[in-house]
Amino acid sequence: MKKKAAAVGIIMGSNSDLSIMEKARETMEQLEIRHELSIVSAHRTPKKMFDYAENAEKNGLKVIIAGAGGAAHLPGMVASLTLLPVIGVPISATKLEGQDSLLSIVQMPYGIPVATVGIDNSGNAALLAAQILSLQDEKVRANLQSFRSSQTKHIMDNATIFAD
Ligand code: RP5
């Protein structure tokens, strides 16, 4: 039987980004969203990047999460090659601690947007991807609702300061 296609593609520029991008993978699992992980580099594997982005929609992906550090061109270049929404994760990989990557990803020219999350915040990228999917997927929506409820409960259960 043919395996169901992944809905979210999680890509990153290097194996060294994996520990940061792990939270995105973990969040996808938690929300029961089909996903795939790949190493795709704008600078070191440009042909693979073109191929990945140009075929992403045909391969069933609905959203792409792209993480990269330093001169982080991966999210923007991928966004330029597909109409799928691309969420960029700036990674703190250099002496500039992610500021370089953040600015590289967020300062896209008009016409090719990349939704950019905070430095190293791949978990929020996954949640945003889930919210996009939830517009057309009731199961993802229900899983997101229960994630939000348990997050609220956790905060309240652990609060040590109470208003009168
Ligand atoms: C970027 O350069 C990668 O996304 C990574 O964050 C950074 C360093 O890569 P390595 O030199 O560790 O492979 O392209």
Side-chain angles (χ1 to χ4, degrees):
M1 205 173 70
K2 209 176 158 208
K3 220 175 114 196
K4 248 187 141 189
V8 176
I10 304 174
I11 57 176
M12 62 210 83
S14 167
N15 211 60
S16 64
D17 299 325
L18 202 49
S19 60
I20 296 297
M21 297 305 285
E22 177 62 19
K23 185 72 182 173
R25 194 196 58 76
E26 194 187 298
T27 306
M28 288 286 105
E29 305 246 311
Q30 194 185 346
L31 296 171
E32 298 173 52
I33 295 171
R34 284 170 287 108
H35 58 281
E36 61 177 31
L37 253 78
S38 315
I39 306 295
V40 181
S41 167
H43 307 124
R44 292 156 168 173
T45 68
K47 288 197 177 94
K48 184 178 179 188
M49 179 196 65
F50 268 82
D51 186 57
Y52 183 93
E54 285 180 338
N55 291 301
E57 205 167 336
K58 197 178 77 197
N59 289 335
L61 294 178
K62 307 279 185 235
V63 185
I64 296 171
I65 297 173
H73 298 136
L74 180 67
M77 284 302 297
V78 168
S80 77
L81 294 161
T82 177
L83 284 178
L84 294 176
V86 175
I87 305 171
V89 183
I91 293 180
S92 54
T94 73
K95 286 192 188 310
L96 298 181
E97 298 178 340
Q99 303 283 341
D100 43 359
S101 170
L102 172 65
L103 297 177
S104 303
I105 296 174
V106 82
Q107 289 290 58
M108 288 297 292
Y110 174 77
I112 307 293
V114 170
T116 310
V117 296
I119 295 169
D120 291 344
N121 202 337
S122 75
N124 263 2
L127 289 169
L128 184 54
Q131 286 177 231
I132 295 168
L133 295 179
S134 77
L135 294 170
Q136 294 192 314
D137 188 323
E138 281 304 319
K139 185 171 156 263
V140 174
R141 189 178 167 80
N143 289 346
L144 269 171
Q145 292 283 17
S146 84
F147 166 81
R148 287 274 178 109
S149 304
S150 64
Q151 179 172 245
T152 301
K153 183 174 180 313
H154 178 78
I155 290 290
M156 295 321 292
D157 288 351
N158 290 284
T160 55
I161 302 164
F162 300 96
D164 294 333

